[in-house]
Amino acid sequence: MKGRVIKSTGSWYLVKVEANVISARLKGKFKQEDLKLTNPIAVGDWVELEKEVGQETAVIKDILPRENYVIRKSTRKQHFSHIIASNLDQAILVITMKKPRTSLGFIDRFLVSTESYGIPAMLVVNKMDQLEGEEEAEWLRDIHEIYEPLGYPVIEISALMDQDLKSTFLPHIRGKSSLISGHSGVGKSTLLNALIPEAKQETKEVSGYSAKGVHTTTFAEMFFLPEGGDLIDTPGIKEFGILDVEEFELSHYFPEMRQYLGQCKYNNCTHVNEPGCVVLKKLDEGYIHPFRYQSYLNILHEEDSHR
Ligand SMILES: Nc1nc2c(ncn2[C@@H]2O[C@H](COP(=O)(O)OP(=O)(O)O)[C@@H](O)[C@H]2O)c(=O)[nH]1
Ligand SMILES: [Mg+2]
Ligand SMILES: [Zn+2]
């Protein structure tokens, strides 16, 4: 039989097979794509399983090819990665203006990583009920002005009190498999509980100034929407890795630069200071947002230091 992994707890996996959830374990080793992985199976994987004789449990015999996946570089093993989730229709970043404030740089890293996996992304601004003052309004305006023209939807919600969650947010997630991420404290668990009462996720008050790191769980878990589709929560996961790229390829993951690629004088142009660079020209002309270009440079230099 075939099923989809909804939770991994180390050696046991919960697998949804039609309307049932079955505990399953792995037997044997699987050949994995080209990746060096610290975990063989991830939430979202479709697997082939077999009931164990005389038991409620099952054995996972095979993993079906992954349509896509999101990884994090392993902190323990060099050149190894940890698969966070797979077979996603989209990735949702929940962001907030304050408590905690999500920086544009963090948003850009998220979007570059989802671009590198080929997964569509959207931004959900939560805690709209707390937005006040001109500086905050400006942050929100920037978010809309920068990201919407690039093709990333931006929607505004108040997970804690939104009566309209079902009309504003649900249409974006119904029938899809969506990964939810964002800093700790932005309201991911609150949002899950509002949409899926059975999720019963623990929510944590954000206390103090930099309370970004209070984690309750560290395993990704899939929850099913009553209206169809699922949400995958990634508690404790700060950010994803970017798939390995050469320097001159990073701009492929910036939609506003992608359209000019191949037009620079040098075909391995990194758009930093090369003569005849079309990206730099478009930046000057105002077609590329300076904040985005700054993020591009930051990521270029960070990735460089990892080499
Ligand atoms: N004012 C306000 N507070 C919210 C909203 N959504 C979540 N919170 C609060 O923010 C805190 C962190 O929420 P939680 O769901 O635990 O965040 P998570 O770490 O992303 O899962 C909790 O105290 C929530 O009650 C919202 O829309 N408005
Ligand atoms: Mg949470
Ligand atoms: Zn260039």
Side-chain angles (χ1 to χ4, degrees), residues 1 22-23 25 50-59:
M1 57 192 169
I22 299 174
S23 277
R25 61 198 176 88
E50 230 166 60
K51 265 268 167 63
E52 292 194 272
V53 185
Q55 308 214 19
E56 291 301 300
T57 54
V59 170

Side-chain angles (χ1 to χ4, degrees), residues 130-142:
Q130 294 208 320
L131 203 82
E132 59 189 359
E134 186 44 39
E135 195 238 345
E136 301 189 4
E138 201 177 304
W139 174 87
L140 185 62
R141 256 196 317 273
D142 278 345

